[in-house]
């Protein structure tokens, strides 16, 4: 019985620092992902509003380091407003490190013609698109 308690105590001491290191690495990867996403957004958009003749585009982004996939995902979100035209929304998911586009949603705010696919899986609405994003943007 005393041997078992000693063994458990030793295992705890031996494995605890490794777990702590893993948390530090995870935090560093999350932080790097966040900085890469911010730099990408700034380089692509400059700010969150772009004015043009007859309209305006408002942009934002979300990022997520997906530990399971070991990837930094960047979700670019833009909404186009034009006088006399329907509001148009675009969402695009990228792996920042591989510069690979995983998914695109583009369409009018109301139901109509749209582009909706995630890694070659087609979808039929923004709600479905957002649901299909979960494995990439959440752990």
């Amino acid at each position: 019985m005393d041997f078992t308690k000693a063994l458990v105590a030793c295992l705890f001491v031996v494995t605890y620092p490794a777990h702590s290191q893993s948390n530090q690495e995870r935090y560093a990867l999350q932080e790097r992902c966040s900085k890469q996403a911010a730099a990408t957004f700034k380089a692509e958009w400059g700010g969150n509003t772009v004015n043009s003749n007859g309209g305006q585009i408002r942009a934002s982004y979300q990022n997520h380091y997906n530990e399971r996939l070991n990837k930094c995902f960047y979700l670019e979100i833009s909404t186009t407003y034009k006088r006399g035209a329907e509001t148009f929304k675009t969402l695009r998911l990228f792996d920042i490190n591989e510069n690979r586009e995983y998914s695109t949603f583009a369409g009018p705010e109301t139901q109509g013609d749209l582009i909706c696919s995630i890694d070659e899986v087609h979808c039929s609405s923004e709600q479905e698109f957002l649901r299909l994003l979960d494995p990439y943007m959440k752990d």
Side-chain angles (χ1 to χ4, degrees):
M1 188 74 163
D2 290 326
F3 175 76
T4 304
K5 287 180 183 178
L7 180 61
V8 169
C10 286
L11 287 174
F12 178 76
V13 169
V14 169
T15 60
Y16 183 75
H19 178 55
S20 176
Q21 181 67 22
S22 176
N23 285 339
Q24 288 175 348
E25 289 173 357
R26 185 174 26 254
Y27 178 77
L29 291 168
Q30 290 168 348
E31 187 70 21
R32 185 169 60 194
C33 179
S34 178
K35 287 179 181 179
Q36 286 177 300
T40 299
F41 183 77
K42 185 176 181 179
E44 294 289 322
W45 291 93
N48 63 351
T49 303
V50 176
N51 293 310
S52 65
N53 289 340
Q56 184 179 73
I57 302 172
R58 292 188 186 153
S60 63
Y61 73 95
Q62 295 175 8
N63 69 278
H64 176 68
Y65 171 70
N66 187 306
E67 184 180 351
R68 181 177 51 82
L69 298 173
N70 190 31
K71 294 191 181 289
C72 176
F73 289 106
Y74 167 80
L75 179 64
E76 178 186 275
I77 305 159
S78 64
T79 306
T80 303
Y81 304 91
K82 288 195 175 189
R83 284 183 224 124
E86 191 166 8
T87 302
F88 194 84
K89 191 168 191 178
T90 305
L91 297 102
R92 299 176 359 164
L93 181 70
F94 295 90
D95 174 337
I96 282 188
N97 295 320
E98 294 180 6
N99 196 26
R100 176 181 171 216
E101 186 171 347
Y102 272 76
S103 66
T104 300
F105 171 87
E109 291 261 305
T110 61
Q111 288 297 83
D113 292 333
L114 57 89
I115 298 167
C116 187
S117 66
I118 294 184
D119 209 14
E120 300 182 24
V121 174
H122 294 282
C123 47
S124 59
S125 69
E126 182 178 355
Q127 291 76 24
E128 184 180 5
F129 179 82
L130 294 172
R131 189 173 34 81
L132 291 169
L133 277 182
D134 279 354
Y136 301 95
M137 297 298 288
K138 295 180 182 174
D139 284 326

